[in-house]
Amino acid sequence: MESRVYKNILIATDGSELAQKAIQQGLALAKALGAKATAITVTEPWTAVVSGELGMAFPIDDYEKGCAANAERILAGVSAAASKAGVACDTLHVKDQFPAEGIIEAAKARGNDLIVMASHGRRGVTRLLLGSQATKVLTHSTIPVLVLR
Protein backbone atom coordinates (compact mmCIF):
# COMPACT_ATOMS: atom_id res chain seq x y z
CA MET A 1 0.00 0.00 0.00
CA GLU A 2 1.32 3.42 -0.98
CA SER A 3 1.90 5.90 1.81
CA ARG A 4 0.65 9.36 0.92
CA VAL A 5 1.62 12.63 2.51
CA TYR A 6 -0.13 15.62 1.03
CA LYS A 7 2.15 18.47 0.02
CA ASN A 8 -0.12 20.84 -1.91
CA ILE A 9 -3.67 21.27 -0.56
CA LEU A 10 -6.48 23.14 -2.33
CA ILE A 11 -9.16 24.45 0.05
CA ALA A 12 -12.45 25.34 -1.65
CA THR A 13 -14.76 27.94 -0.12
CA ASP A 14 -17.91 29.76 -1.11
CA GLY A 15 -17.75 32.05 1.91
CA SER A 16 -20.52 30.22 3.75
CA GLU A 17 -20.44 29.41 7.45
CA LEU A 18 -20.20 25.72 6.54
CA ALA A 19 -17.17 26.37 4.33
CA GLN A 20 -15.41 27.78 7.41
CA LYS A 21 -15.08 24.19 8.63
CA ALA A 22 -13.22 23.26 5.45
CA ILE A 23 -10.96 26.29 5.81
CA GLN A 24 -10.12 25.52 9.45
CA GLN A 25 -9.55 21.81 8.80
CA GLY A 26 -7.63 22.39 5.56
CA LEU A 27 -5.31 24.92 7.21
CA ALA A 28 -4.81 22.66 10.25
CA LEU A 29 -3.96 19.75 7.96
CA ALA A 30 -1.56 21.88 5.89
CA LYS A 31 0.18 23.02 9.08
CA ALA A 32 0.43 19.49 10.50
CA LEU A 33 1.87 18.13 7.23
CA GLY A 34 4.03 21.14 6.37
CA ALA A 35 2.06 21.38 3.11
CA LYS A 36 1.42 24.35 0.84
CA ALA A 37 -2.16 25.59 0.91
CA THR A 38 -4.24 27.47 -1.63
CA ALA A 39 -7.75 28.75 -0.97
CA ILE A 40 -10.06 28.92 -3.98
CA THR A 41 -13.45 30.47 -4.59
CA VAL A 42 -15.25 30.11 -7.90
CA THR A 43 -17.65 32.60 -9.50
CA GLU A 44 -20.33 31.21 -11.81
CA PRO A 45 -20.82 32.69 -15.28
CA TRP A 46 -23.24 35.62 -15.46
CA THR A 47 -25.42 33.67 -17.89
CA ALA A 48 -25.91 30.89 -15.31
CA VAL A 49 -27.15 33.34 -12.70
CA VAL A 50 -29.07 35.99 -14.67
CA SER A 51 -31.50 35.38 -17.51
CA GLY A 52 -34.24 37.12 -19.47
CA GLU A 53 -35.36 40.59 -18.46
CA LEU A 54 -33.34 40.45 -15.26
CA GLY A 55 -30.24 40.61 -17.47
CA MET A 56 -31.27 44.07 -18.62
CA ALA A 57 -31.84 45.27 -15.06
CA PHE A 58 -28.63 43.72 -13.73
CA PRO A 59 -25.83 44.34 -16.26
CA ILE A 60 -22.88 41.97 -16.56
CA ASP A 61 -20.42 44.67 -15.41
CA ASP A 62 -22.29 45.06 -12.12
CA TYR A 63 -22.37 41.30 -11.68
CA GLU A 64 -18.63 40.94 -12.31
CA LYS A 65 -17.77 43.82 -9.97
CA GLY A 66 -19.97 42.30 -7.26
CA CYS A 67 -18.41 38.86 -7.74
CA ALA A 68 -14.89 40.27 -7.61
CA ALA A 69 -15.64 42.18 -4.40
CA ASN A 70 -17.27 39.13 -2.81
CA ALA A 71 -14.36 36.87 -3.80
CA GLU A 72 -11.88 39.39 -2.43
CA ARG A 73 -13.78 39.49 0.89
CA ILE A 74 -13.96 35.67 1.09
CA LEU A 75 -10.29 35.17 0.27
CA ALA A 76 -9.14 37.97 2.61
CA GLY A 77 -10.91 36.08 5.41
CA VAL A 78 -9.05 32.89 4.52
CA SER A 79 -5.74 34.78 4.36
CA ALA A 80 -6.39 36.19 7.83
CA ALA A 81 -7.24 32.71 9.20
CA ALA A 82 -4.11 31.26 7.58
CA SER A 83 -1.93 34.00 9.01
CA LYS A 84 -3.41 33.44 12.47
CA ALA A 85 -2.77 29.69 12.11
CA GLY A 86 0.80 30.29 10.92
CA VAL A 87 0.20 28.70 7.50
CA ALA A 88 1.33 30.17 4.19
CA CYS A 89 -1.74 30.19 1.95
CA ASP A 90 -2.15 31.48 -1.60
CA THR A 91 -5.58 32.58 -2.79
CA LEU A 92 -7.26 32.07 -6.13
CA HIS A 93 -10.48 33.47 -7.62
CA VAL A 94 -11.66 31.47 -10.64
CA LYS A 95 -14.16 33.43 -12.74
CA ASP A 96 -16.88 32.27 -15.13
CA GLN A 97 -16.82 28.60 -14.15
CA PHE A 98 -19.23 26.33 -12.38
CA PRO A 99 -17.76 25.61 -8.92
CA ALA A 100 -17.01 21.89 -9.32
CA GLU A 101 -15.35 22.33 -12.71
CA GLY A 102 -13.37 25.36 -11.54
CA ILE A 103 -12.12 23.52 -8.46
CA ILE A 104 -11.09 20.41 -10.40
CA GLU A 105 -9.37 22.36 -13.20
CA ALA A 106 -7.50 24.58 -10.73
CA ALA A 107 -6.34 21.58 -8.69
CA LYS A 108 -4.95 19.92 -11.82
CA ALA A 109 -3.31 23.11 -13.11
CA ARG A 110 -1.70 23.89 -9.75
CA GLY A 111 -0.55 20.33 -9.05
CA ASN A 112 -2.62 19.97 -5.90
CA ASP A 113 -2.68 16.51 -4.37
CA LEU A 114 -5.70 17.00 -2.07
CA ILE A 115 -8.91 19.02 -2.30
CA VAL A 116 -10.62 20.00 0.96
CA MET A 117 -14.21 21.22 0.84
CA ALA A 118 -17.46 21.23 2.79
CA SER A 119 -20.78 19.65 1.85
CA HIS A 120 -24.20 20.75 2.99
CA GLY A 121 -25.24 17.11 3.20
CA ARG A 122 -28.53 17.69 1.40
CA ARG A 123 -30.59 14.66 0.55
CA GLY A 124 -33.51 13.66 -1.59
CA VAL A 125 -35.34 16.22 -3.71
CA THR A 126 -33.33 19.17 -2.37
CA ARG A 127 -30.12 17.55 -3.56
CA LEU A 128 -31.64 16.71 -6.92
CA LEU A 129 -32.84 20.28 -7.43
CA LEU A 130 -29.80 22.10 -6.11
CA GLY A 131 -27.15 19.55 -6.97
CA SER A 132 -24.07 19.17 -4.87
CA GLN A 133 -20.78 20.71 -5.85
CA ALA A 134 -19.02 18.34 -3.43
CA THR A 135 -20.64 15.34 -5.11
CA LYS A 136 -19.59 16.63 -8.53
CA VAL A 137 -16.01 17.16 -7.36
CA LEU A 138 -15.94 13.67 -5.78
CA THR A 139 -17.34 12.11 -8.94
CA HIS A 140 -15.06 13.83 -11.45
CA SER A 141 -11.80 14.48 -9.58
CA THR A 142 -8.79 12.24 -10.05
CA ILE A 143 -7.27 13.93 -6.97
CA PRO A 144 -8.28 12.77 -3.45
CA VAL A 145 -11.06 14.87 -1.89
CA LEU A 146 -11.68 15.42 1.83
CA VAL A 147 -15.31 16.40 2.38
CA LEU A 148 -16.40 17.91 5.68
CA ARG A 149 -20.00 18.12 6.87
Side-chain angles (χ1 to χ4, degrees):
M1 185 165 87
E2 179 186 335
S3 173
R4 178 180 283 273
V5 175
Y6 301 106
K7 297 180 182 345
N8 195 357
I9 300 171
L10 185 69
I11 306 166
T13 180
D14 60 4
S16 68
E17 193 175 317
L18 182 63
Q20 283 301 116
K21 267 185 166 177
I23 293 165
Q24 292 167 352
Q25 290 294 313
L27 291 173
L29 185 60
K31 184 172 185 164
L33 297 175
K36 290 193 298 185
T38 301
I40 182 174
T41 193
V42 181
T43 303
E44 290 192 7
W46 180 77
T47 54
V49 179
V50 180
S51 63
E53 291 181 18
L54 188 56
M56 302 294 250
F58 190 55
I60 191 168
D61 290 345
D62 292 347
Y63 173 74
E64 288 178 349
K65 285 177 190 168
C67 287
N70 190 45
E72 190 175 314
R73 178 188 56 77
I74 290 168
L75 295 173
V78 178
S79 290
S83 185
K84 187 175 177 183
V87 176
C89 183
D90 291 335
T91 59
L92 178 64
H93 174 206
V94 175
K95 301 173 188 170
D96 296 327
Q97 287 264 9
F98 291 99
E101 288 84 355
I103 292 165
I104 291 167
E105 285 179 21
K108 284 180 185 173
R110 298 180 65 83
N112 295 106
D113 51 15
L114 179 68
I115 298 169
V116 177
M117 62 188 307
S119 173
H120 292 275
R122 293 186 181 104
R123 296 172 195 248
V125 174
T126 307
R127 181 170 170 188
L128 285 174
L129 293 176
L130 297 175
S132 165
Q133 296 306 311
T135 299
K136 290 174 185 170
V137 171
L138 279 168
T139 304
H140 299 290
S141 178
T142 56
I143 299 163
V145 181
L146 173 61
V147 179
L148 301 152
R149 287 168 57 126

